[in-house]
Amino acid sequence: MGSVGIEQPLDFYSSPYLAEHYDLICAQEGSFFKDIDVFFAELIKIRDRKRAIAQDPDELIVIDVGTGTGRALHSLAQRALQNDMNISKMTFLGFDLSQDMVDRAAETRDLTGAGQVEWVCASAVDLDAVVASRGFQGKVDLIMFADGGFLHLTTPEEGRKFLCGLESSLRPSVGRACVSVTSRESVEDLHYYDAEASKTAVVDYKSQKYPGLVYQNTLTEIKEEGAIGISTFQFEVWKVHDDGRREIVQSRATQLAGRWWSQKEMTDLIGGVPGIQLIEVAAPDHRQTFYTMGV
């Protein structure tokens, strides 16, 4: 594919190489990705509420906001199958701001048996438009915002716009939105980079998609602008030849920005959106807090 240059930093998720690298690094974060327990427990409650009002509990619309490469949506569907749920009546929709991420989701996440599956490139702040374009207004049963993804909404205006979209999307009284917010302390538990530039050598992540390619990612800078943290990395793609020689394919700075939302900020933000009810705040560990909302 060749180098894309060294001008401005890429978004942390914006290339096919970065999308695969994201999956490879996430594979080692098993202790962090316990959110499916939270989402599945909410799905069970939703099914119970639908059953109580004589609605088919298997006819579910599930939306994964900031889906990335589709981990949460795929894992939830697999959990449903393991519990003998009929996913043939379920609609799964994952959307993300990065086209490269949703392309990889479509390529790698097998949701065979599901009634309908769609992967879409869109921003979280456009939730209402995504829902309206598919005729899902007031029909969505579960909205997930996993992996602490809410931190990518870095202003109160962006957060409020997303939350306003919940009011027009969720099935009244039945539907729920479950939003994960990463805690500041959890960053030390994650390994989105291999090593700091001043420390040990970076680790090779062997590509499974592109034969002979390996990825390396080095953290070069962390800075804070108020409540927003910005991490800069040097992401490199190398071709390893049979004789051991290495040839650089791509070297590019990438950036990852996120806002540290406090619990007070989140509850105030949710409380300021008409029609949205904060139902539960749960922090099963120190890594992330889940905010469950309904309309």
Side-chain angles (χ1 to χ4, degrees):
M1 295 179 63
S3 174
V4 294
I6 56 172
E7 297 82 10
Q8 295 297 317
L10 279 173
D11 177 81
F12 188 75
Y13 308 105
S14 294
S15 83
Y17 295 144
L18 284 163
E20 185 185 26
H21 177 261
Y22 176 83
D23 272 348
L24 294 174
I25 58 177
C26 285
Q28 67 183 6
E29 304 296 352
S31 63
F32 185 79
F33 294 133
K34 296 178 179 177
D35 50 4
I36 302 306
D37 294 338
V38 176
F39 298 140
F40 185 71
E42 200 57 52
L43 190 67
I44 293 294
K45 296 175 187 177
I46 292 166
R47 285 166 51 84
D48 288 343
R49 286 193 292 272
K50 296 192 78 168
R51 193 178 290 111
I53 58 175
Q55 292 184 0
D56 189 339
D58 290 325
E59 288 188 355
L60 296 164
I61 297 176
V62 179
I63 294 181
D64 186 19
V65 181
T67 193
T69 59
R71 175 199 62 86
L73 201 59
H74 179 261
S75 296
L76 186 72
Q78 293 302 302
R79 183 73 63 87
L81 284 171
Q82 291 163 8
N83 285 269
D84 298 321
M85 292 183 187
N86 180 11
I87 70 170
S88 69
K89 294 183 178 182
M90 298 183 189
T91 295
F92 296 102
L93 169 63
F95 69 91
D96 194 278
L97 188 58
S98 167
Q99 184 68 57
D100 295 297
M101 298 292 270
V102 293
D103 285 347
R104 181 166 175 82
E107 176 186 341
T108 62
R109 302 299 181 181
D110 182 6
L111 288 170
T112 301
Q116 182 177 337
V117 181
E118 189 174 5
W119 305 100
V120 178
C121 182
S123 169
V125 300
D126 294 326
L127 171 64
D128 54 350
V130 171
V131 168
S133 67
R134 285 149 183 84
F136 291 166
Q137 303 100 313
K139 300 177 182 178
V140 181
D141 297 289
L142 177 62
I143 294 175
M144 304 183 295
F145 205 156
D147 300 350
F150 196 87
L151 64 83
H152 294 305
L153 305 181
T154 56
T155 67
E157 291 73 24
E158 288 180 336
R160 191 174 297 110
K161 187 172 182 183
F162 165 73
L163 293 172
C164 286
L166 300 181
E167 199 275 334
S168 61
S169 302
L170 289 172
R171 192 183 299 275
S173 302
V174 172
R176 294 291 184 264
C178 194
V179 173
S180 163
V181 176
T182 304
S183 69
R184 193 164 189 158
E185 293 77 12
S186 73
V187 172
E188 296 180 0
D189 296 335
L190 298 176
H191 301 88
Y192 279 172
Y193 55 91
D194 303 318
E196 293 185 17
S198 60
K199 297 184 179 179
T200 57
V202 294
V203 177
D204 283 348
Y205 282 86
K206 186 178 296 185
S207 172
Q208 299 172 2
K209 181 177 182 179
Y210 306 106
L213 294 190
V214 297
Y215 306 124
Q216 293 183 341
N217 200 39
T218 305
L219 178 68
T220 59
E221 182 184 35
I222 298 178
K223 63 180 181 180
E224 296 187 4
E225 297 177 357
I228 300 173
I230 303 172
S231 299
T232 302
F233 308 85
Q234 191 66 29
F235 178 71
E236 296 180 341
V237 183
W238 292 84
K239 174 70 174 179
V240 180
H241 296 277
D242 292 340
D243 61 4
R245 289 183 302 107
R246 289 183 172 232
E247 175 186 359
I248 190 71
V249 175
Q250 180 182 111
S251 180
R252 187 72 185 263
T254 68
Q255 282 188 338
L256 178 65
R259 182 186 182 97
W260 306 115
W261 292 95
S262 69
Q263 185 167 319
K264 183 179 186 306
E265 286 177 319
M266 286 297 298
T267 54
D268 287 349
L269 192 66
I270 295 167
V273 178
I276 299 297
Q277 178 186 8
L278 178 59
I279 295 171
E280 183 180 11
V281 178
D285 55 41
H286 72 281
R287 294 179 175 87
Q288 52 191 325
T289 301
F290 296 90
Y291 298 82
T292 301
M293 293 160 276
V295 298

